[in-house]
Amino acid sequence: NAGVTQTPKFRILKIGQSMTLQCAQDMNHNYMYWYRQDPGMGLKLIYYSVGAGITDKGEVPNGYNVSRSTTEDFPLRLELAAPSQTSVYFCATRQGLYSPLHFGNGTRLTVT
Amino acid sequence: EDQVTQSPEALRLQEGESSSLNCSYTVSGLRGLFWYRQDPGKGPEFLFTLYSAGEEKEKERLKATLTKKESFLHITAPKPEDSATYLCAVQPTMNYGGSQGNLIFGKGTKLSVKP
């Protein structure tokens, strides 16, 4: 039972490149979230999904896109990477709307 | 505006020296307050959920309490393995502007316990 698996662990992008951060879960949770964590800041919500085929924007969605075709996977797409997207990205799931979040171990992204 | 403030930003303790971490919050209504532990290079790990003022939860050397304005994470006789960043997050009863069920996170308290 792996929980929430994020790949890759580290990535360096050049300005203007694109990439997809992968998130997979084996807990059969409907709710999935993408957060970013910047030094000295609290976690900020980028996008979330309440089930397959349903996604919505969080606090800081600009520059990102998501899709949710299955319960298990919730990839985050970065188009035209910018230095402001340098951050650590965490995927999280929860069983119900008021349940605790379960986090993956993050992807550390640097854009130069 | 819903807000979560954690203090202190950093705390250094000697092994066995008990202390408390503070999480003060401002929300229109509280659905739940969550405590997480985060080790370097890892994702946050869930510790406790508190739902109403007066509620307390315990786990080993940690005890979380909740009032109407703040929560405390008490650490009794800490050990070096308790060193981590502790995050507090609140879930308001209403999320303005969408983001159903979103948690508002504090910036965390970095705890170091020296042997």
Side-chain angles (χ1 to χ4, degrees):
Chain A
N1 191 351
V4 181
T5 302
Q6 292 186 240
T7 55
K9 288 183 168 49
F10 304 94
R11 183 74 186 267
I12 299 174
L13 282 182
K14 294 188 187 303
I15 294 171
Q17 288 184 323
S18 301
M19 77 164 292
T20 299
L21 283 66
Q22 301 291 345
C23 174
Q25 55 115 346
D26 62 1
M27 296 184 287
N28 202 33
H29 289 173
N30 282 326
Y31 296 88
M32 295 189 76
Y33 301 79
W34 275 106
Y35 284 88
R36 61 178 287 171
Q37 186 177 43
D38 299 308
M41 303 294 291
L43 287 150
K44 298 293 184 186
L45 181 65
I46 305 171
Y47 269 94
Y48 69 101
S49 170
V50 301
I54 307 169
T55 63
D56 207 346
K57 296 177 181 179
E59 299 172 75
V60 290
N62 291 344
Y64 307 95
N65 266 305
V66 293
S67 58
R68 182 100 182 268
S69 56
T70 67
T71 299
E72 292 78 21
D73 299 297
F74 189 38
L76 177 71
R77 178 83 177 161
L78 276 72
E79 304 282 1
L80 298 174
S84 61
Q85 293 178 304
T86 293
S87 188
V88 182
Y89 292 85
F90 289 101
C91 178
T93 74
R94 71 199 314 187
Q95 185 173 33
L97 188 57
Y98 309 119
S99 305
L101 288 169
H102 297 272
F103 287 86
N105 281 326
T107 294
R108 183 175 295 274
L109 175 68
T110 302
V111 182
T112 61
Chain B
E1 182 185 345
D2 297 332
Q3 219 168 4
V4 176
T5 303
Q6 291 188 246
S7 61
E9 289 184 13
L11 181 62
R12 290 187 173 189
L13 299 174
Q14 288 295 127
E15 185 172 2
E17 180 187 2
S18 301
S19 189
S20 297
L21 282 56
N22 178 262
C23 171
S24 63
Y25 60 91
T26 305
V27 292
S28 52
L30 182 69
R31 178 71 65 179
L33 185 143
F34 301 83
W35 281 99
Y36 288 86
R37 170 193 170 121
Q38 186 173 22
D39 293 299
K42 302 288 187 182
E45 176 188 347
F46 170 69
L47 293 173
F48 305 108
T49 309
L50 301 166
Y51 294 104
S52 56
E55 190 175 358
E56 298 182 353
K57 294 269 180 78
E58 281 189 73
K59 179 180 179 180
E60 296 180 358
R61 294 176 293 282
L62 299 176
K63 179 180 176 180
T65 62
L66 181 65
T67 73
K68 289 187 177 180
K69 295 290 185 185
E70 58 191 349
S71 176
F72 291 94
L73 185 65
H74 306 279
I75 304 176
T76 302
K79 298 181 177 181
E81 53 261 43
D82 294 322
S83 298
T85 296
Y86 291 85
L87 303 177
C88 171
V90 300
Q91 182 164 357
T93 51
M94 291 187 64
N95 286 109
Y96 298 98
S99 304
Q100 188 178 25
N102 187 28
L103 302 189
I104 301 167
F105 282 85
K107 297 178 181 179
T109 293
K110 185 174 182 180
L111 174 66
S112 299
V113 182
K114 301 298 182 186

